[in-house]
Amino acid sequence: RNLSVETLVPTEFRSNHQHYRAHFAETPRSRPMASGIKLSALCKDGQTFPAEISLSPIQMGEEKFVIAAVSDISQRIRDEEALRASEQRWKFALEGAGEGVWDWNRNTGQTLFAPRILDFWGYPEGRTEGRMEDWTERIHPDDRPRFMADLNAHLDGETPTFAIEHRVRSQDGSWKWALGRGM
């Protein structure tokens, strides 16, 4: 039995869907549907689920068809919500502890600094990306050899974690004591 595509459209949206379908038929082109808006599709049992829908027009001989791909994105939405909640908990924990966090990609050299570190260095808010050298160049000259030796020992697998107290030059030129830790 052939069913209309509207069978997948939740009841409250069916009346407008025929208009959208007719508009698509005027200028068919491949496209993901509803970028930035929420779409729902209808299950056989009458329940709705969040969906991503893409359309691909094809021509076979004289006939034109549209291939529609409907994907249930319920799990992705749950995963994204869980990730946001987890990130928020980490943010509260770190801010509450007064810790500054950094993330260094050794392959690219890109380093992300949390606002707490930048505040400690005396930088205005808003900047988060940098290079590891933005940190290491600030280390007091007397502390730098020990810092780099300990860091390299850790990177070479000689120590399970990295932790060192050292002085860091602030934006105003003053020296502050810091505890750098990593793994």
Side-chain angles (χ1 to χ4, degrees):
R1 150 180 142 177
N2 287 335
L3 299 175
S4 155
V5 70
E6 276 74 26
T7 306
L8 296 171
V9 178
T11 310
E12 64 268 24
F13 302 117
R14 282 186 188 164
S15 61
N16 287 333
H17 190 263
Q18 289 178 350
H19 165 75
Y20 294 131
R21 196 164 46 122
H23 179 70
F24 179 80
E26 291 172 10
T27 56
R29 65 184 192 282
S30 294
R31 64 180 177 200
M33 294 299 293
S35 300
I37 63 171
K38 295 180 181 179
L39 286 180
S40 303
L42 190 64
C43 290
K44 192 174 186 178
D45 67 4
Q47 298 290 315
T48 61
F49 60 90
E52 259 183 8
I53 303 170
S54 62
L55 301 176
S56 299
I58 61 168
Q59 184 148 353
M60 296 177 69
E62 296 296 316
E63 293 196 61
K64 294 180 182 181
F65 297 92
V66 175
I67 297 173
V70 179
S71 300
D72 182 342
I73 59 171
S74 301
Q75 187 61 49
R76 181 181 355 145
I77 290 172
R78 285 191 296 273
D79 292 346
E80 289 170 353
E81 288 171 356
L83 179 60
R84 274 192 294 279
S86 177
E87 288 172 344
Q88 191 67 36
R89 284 191 303 274
W90 271 108
K91 181 180 177 199
F92 287 149
L94 291 170
E95 287 177 0
E99 298 288 329
V101 179
W102 50 276
D103 180 23
W104 173 34
N105 182 326
R106 289 180 60 198
N107 295 328
T108 66
Q110 179 188 31
T111 307
L112 301 175
F113 297 106
R116 177 71 182 104
I117 289 179
L118 299 173
D119 181 53
F120 182 74
W121 289 345
Y123 277 105
E125 288 185 36
R127 176 183 171 206
T128 57
E129 279 192 46
R131 305 167 299 123
M132 187 61 171
E133 292 80 13
D134 293 336
W135 181 344
T136 57
E137 290 170 357
R138 299 179 161 285
I139 298 171
H140 192 282
D142 294 343
D143 299 340
R144 191 174 296 132
R146 185 174 47 91
F147 180 98
M148 296 308 295
D150 286 3
L151 176 60
N152 287 326
H154 173 64
L155 295 175
D156 291 341
E158 297 171 22
T159 59
T161 59
F162 166 75
I164 188 169
E165 287 187 357
H166 59 286
R167 290 166 285 183
V168 179
R169 186 181 64 252
S170 184
Q171 189 67 9
D172 66 7
S174 65
W175 294 98
K176 296 180 178 182
W177 281 97
L179 171 62
R181 294 186 291 213
M183 63 183 311

